[in-house]
Amino acid sequence: KAGVTQTPRYLIKTRGQQVTLSCSPISGHRSVSWYQQTPGQGLQFLFEYFSETQRNKGNFPGRFSGRQFSNSRSEMNVSTLELGDSALYLCASSPGTVSYEQYFGPGTRLTVT
Amino acid sequence: AQSVTQLDSQVPVFEEAPVELRCNYSSSVSVYLFWYVQYPNQGLQLLLKYLSGSTLVKGINGFEAEFNKSQTSFHLRKPSVHISDTAEYFCAVSEAMGGGADGLTFGKGTHLIIQP
């Protein structure tokens, strides 16, 4: 089976712009979670989707949003980018209705200038 | 809410020597425990997990971990390391009754450096 894929792998944006990141889960996986990884804060949970519904969201401002499509693919959007949004954004997918066992993609490296 | 403490930010070890990476957690509810590895410029790979049952868990690449409920620890061990084990290792917890929807809580990571 193909693993979790994320596009694009690298992205450079300017402050104030918005960005959309894409994640395709492992075939058959219905749960998708997003994480932000920075040197200072480490890995932090952004949100989790199952069957097109957001089940939980981490402690991030409303500028961070996401959605999941009927084929389980997911996108996350960050509006009004700030320098502090520079990070590695990781997507993970899980089989079944529970999300304990998460399989991560390679991430999208976002740089905000 | 849960928290995870990885006691060492960096662990240098000679090749073929044993290694232990320490992880302690704090939670008011039952948790599931995980170790992930991250190689440079890559995502996270699941090494092993503890959900229930035997407290000694074996994972991939010769790693194992032991769940100690009384000490709230989940230390990762390998009897003999190789250069290829050089990577960042993350300990993570998830609330057992939450279905995983509240995500994984990660420690800050331990950089394992293998010296020839």
Side-chain angles (χ1 to χ4, degrees):
Chain A
K1 268 186 184 178
V4 177
T5 58
Q6 292 187 245
T7 55
R9 290 292 312 277
Y10 302 91
L11 204 50
I12 300 175
K13 290 286 189 179
T14 304
R15 268 182 304 175
Q17 288 185 315
Q18 74 162 14
V19 67
T20 299
L21 312 181
S22 181
C23 170
S24 293
I26 292 171
S27 178
H29 285 196
R30 296 165 63 189
S31 169
V32 172
S33 301
W34 288 89
Y35 294 84
Q36 181 195 65
Q37 185 177 23
T38 59
Q41 298 299 315
L43 282 151
Q44 293 184 286
F45 170 71
L46 277 158
F47 25 64
E48 191 261 6
Y49 288 89
F50 178 80
S51 291
E52 303 177 66
T53 300
Q54 186 182 93
R55 295 199 293 187
N56 210 342
K57 184 174 181 180
N59 189 22
F60 278 84
R63 300 185 297 107
F64 290 82
S65 63
R67 60 178 175 169
Q68 186 181 34
F69 302 96
S70 58
N71 62 358
S72 295
R73 192 177 68 85
S74 177
E75 289 181 346
M76 67 162 283
N77 184 277
V78 187
S79 62
T80 320
L81 284 165
E82 301 177 0
L83 294 178
D85 297 333
S86 294
L88 181 67
Y89 290 88
L90 292 163
C91 167
S93 74
S94 304
T97 57
V98 294
S99 309
Y100 302 126
E101 193 162 337
Q102 300 193 3
Y103 297 85
F104 284 80
T108 294
R109 173 75 63 186
L110 172 64
T111 301
V112 182
T113 62
Chain B
Q2 308 91 40
S3 66
V4 178
T5 302
Q6 290 185 243
L7 297 160
D8 306 294
S9 60
Q10 192 166 288
V11 172
V13 182
F14 286 107
E15 196 172 15
E16 298 184 10
V19 69
E20 179 179 80
L21 305 184
R22 297 180 293 170
C23 172
N24 286 90
Y25 69 93
S26 174
S27 178
S28 57
V29 299
S30 294
V31 295
Y32 296 150
L33 296 149
F34 308 84
W35 274 99
Y36 283 86
V37 60
Q38 186 176 35
Y39 299 102
N41 299 315
Q42 293 187 30
L44 278 69
Q45 180 182 11
L46 179 64
L47 276 177
L48 48 78
K49 62 182 183 287
Y50 173 79
L51 302 184
S52 64
S54 172
T55 57
L56 182 62
V57 180
K58 293 191 183 297
I60 62 172
N61 301 341
F63 284 95
E64 64 179 32
E66 185 153 21
F67 170 54
N68 188 317
K69 188 174 182 180
S70 62
Q71 297 190 11
T72 60
S73 68
F74 190 55
H75 301 334
L76 180 71
R77 297 190 291 257
K78 186 171 183 177
S80 175
V81 297
H82 303 282
I83 289 286
S84 59
D85 292 323
T86 297
E88 194 81 17
Y89 291 80
F90 293 93
C91 181
V93 303
S94 178
E95 185 178 318
M97 298 304 292
D102 51 354
L104 295 168
T105 300
F106 286 90
K108 293 291 189 185
T110 297
H111 188 196
L112 178 60
I113 302 168
I114 309 301
Q115 301 168 325

